[in-house]
């Protein structure tokens, strides 16, 4: 797909692709998206991504397009020729039509697939505790990725203004929920005792990340004790290791977390993070039929 976008069943140069002015995703943020990572021509856990996409669309009252690529649905197989595999955003809107805001009957959903290269390697992340944006459990469709993404983007800009590359979002009680574009894990204990891998629960507002799910599976396979529970900021700041997960970076060590004038530095990567990253790469290789990366 290099140099082209896939829009409503047609491959087009980006300059020829356009969104109708009455599209509800464009006007009102009524659209869902998934960001896939392709390896050797196959998207890792495509089915799980499509499950989440379809759940979000149905919650908007939108019938998802078919998975087989017919009738304007997204192509099931992503053919990737670049190395490493590309970043593949898939966006589906709530459709077009109607002069007034609403989610009633509309035209067919707009389906857009693009592909971009990804870096050969990703450095450990440096993050800021965002103070201008908080996560609330009553936000619309917390289980879905909607294009109404302003809150995390504001937090990310706050971090970038501070010279950092990621933001951590807290809830109203000051507990860690997620990062602006990733899920968060802390490795507690270690050295003289067993390590405990902790990630905030979905009930706190964390996105049910596909990579988050895979990393929890890897932890079980490695016999690393893991818990989905609330993660107070002070507990994260006391952790020996921390890591971020999303479909593009896989498992990314967190090297620094800045909270105001104070910075905490983690072992990046530490032994638990290295083990999880290796197990995750093996899972990708096994499921996508590619050779494990180093």
């Amino acid at each position: 797909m290099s140099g082209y976008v896939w829009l409503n069943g047609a491959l087009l140069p980006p300059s020829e692709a356009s969104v109708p002015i009455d599209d509800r995703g464009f006007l009102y943020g009524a659209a869902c998206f998934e960001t896939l990572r392709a390896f050797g021509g196959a998207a890792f856990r495509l089915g799980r991504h499509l499950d989440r996409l379809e759940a979000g669309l149905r919650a908007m009252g939108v019938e998802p397009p078919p998975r087989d690529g017919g009738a304007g649905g997204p192509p099931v197989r992503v053919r990737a020729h670049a190395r490493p595999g590309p970043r593949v955003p898939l966006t589906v809107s709530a459709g077009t039509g109607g002069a007034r805001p609403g989610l009633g009957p509309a035209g067919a959903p707009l389906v857009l697939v693009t592909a971009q290269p990804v870096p050969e390697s990703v450095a450990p992340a440096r993050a800021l505790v965002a103070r201008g944006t908080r996560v609330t459990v009553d936000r619309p469709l917390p289980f879905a990725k909607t294009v109404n993404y302003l809150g995390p983007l504001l937090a990310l800009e706050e971090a970038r203004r501070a010279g950092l590359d990621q933001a951590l979002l807290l809830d109203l009680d000051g507990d860690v929920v997620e990062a602006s574009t990733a899920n968060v894990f802390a490795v507690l204990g270690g050295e003289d005792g067993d390590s405990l891998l902790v990630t905030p629960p979905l009930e706190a507002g964390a996105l049910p990340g596909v990579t988050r799910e895979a990393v929890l599976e890897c932890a079980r396979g490695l016999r690393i004790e893991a818990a989905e529970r609330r993660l107070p900021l002070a507990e994260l700041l006391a952790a020996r290791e921390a890591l971020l997960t999303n479909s593009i970076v896989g498992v990314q060590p967190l090297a620094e977390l800045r909270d105001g004038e104070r910075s905490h530095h983690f072992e990046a990567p530490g032994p638990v993070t290295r083990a999880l990253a290796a197990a995750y790469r093996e899972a990708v290789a096994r499921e996508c039929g590619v050779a494990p990366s180093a």
Side-chain angles (χ1 to χ4, degrees), residues 139-171:
R139 75 182 192 271
L141 310 187
F143 57 87
K145 296 184 74 168
T146 72
V147 299
N148 193 340
Y149 212 62
L150 185 58
L153 290 180
L154 288 171
L156 187 59
E157 285 305 306
E158 184 182 348
R160 287 173 175 169
R161 286 195 299 271
L164 304 173
D165 49 55
Q166 185 60 272
L168 259 61
L169 298 166
L170 309 179
D171 64 13

Side-chain angles (χ1 to χ4, degrees), residues 123-216:
R126 300 170 60 239
L128 177 76
V129 177
R131 294 297 179 178
T133 304
R134 295 292 177 107
V135 176
T136 60
V137 295
D138 59 350
R139 75 182 192 271
L141 310 187
F143 57 87
K145 296 184 74 168
T146 72
V147 299
N148 193 340
Y149 212 62
L150 185 58
L153 290 180
L154 288 171
L156 187 59
E157 285 305 306
E158 184 182 348
R160 287 173 175 169
R161 286 195 299 271
L164 304 173
D165 49 55
Q166 185 60 272
L168 259 61
L169 298 166
L170 309 179
D171 64 13
L172 297 178
D173 294 324
D175 291 341
V176 177
V177 178
E178 59 189 359
S180 52
T181 60
N183 288 112
V184 180
F185 289 80
V187 181
L188 308 179
E191 278 196 319
D192 299 329
D194 293 334
S195 296
L196 175 65
L197 183 68
V198 175
T199 191
L202 304 185
E203 294 78 13
L207 181 77
V210 173
T211 307
R212 173 187 184 273
E213 179 183 79
V215 167
L216 287 170

Side-chain angles (χ1 to χ4, degrees), residues 128-131 158 162 164 233 257-263:
L128 177 76
V129 177
R131 294 297 179 178
E158 184 182 348
L164 304 173
L233 177 60
L257 180 57
R258 189 181 304 172
D259 182 23
E261 299 299 319
R262 175 182 59 171
S263 282

Side-chain angles (χ1 to χ4, degrees), residues 197-282:
L197 183 68
V198 175
T199 191
L202 304 185
E203 294 78 13
L207 181 77
V210 173
T211 307
R212 173 187 184 273
E213 179 183 79
V215 167
L216 287 170
E217 293 173 10
C218 291
R220 289 193 290 272
L222 294 168
R223 299 185 182 277
I224 296 171
E225 185 178 357
E228 297 178 68
R229 65 161 173 80
R230 300 195 74 85
L231 181 61
L233 177 60
E235 196 170 28
L236 176 58
L237 288 169
R240 292 179 55 80
E241 299 177 52
L243 53 134
L244 307 178
T245 63
N246 68 31
S247 294
I248 302 306
V249 301
V251 175
Q252 182 182 27
L254 181 60
E256 177 186 354
L257 180 57
R258 189 181 304 172
D259 182 23
E261 299 299 319
R262 175 182 59 171
S263 282
H264 177 77
H265 295 270
F266 303 92
E267 188 175 356
V272 174
T273 303
R274 287 196 298 271
L276 289 170
Y280 177 77
R281 289 194 297 269
E282 290 173 1

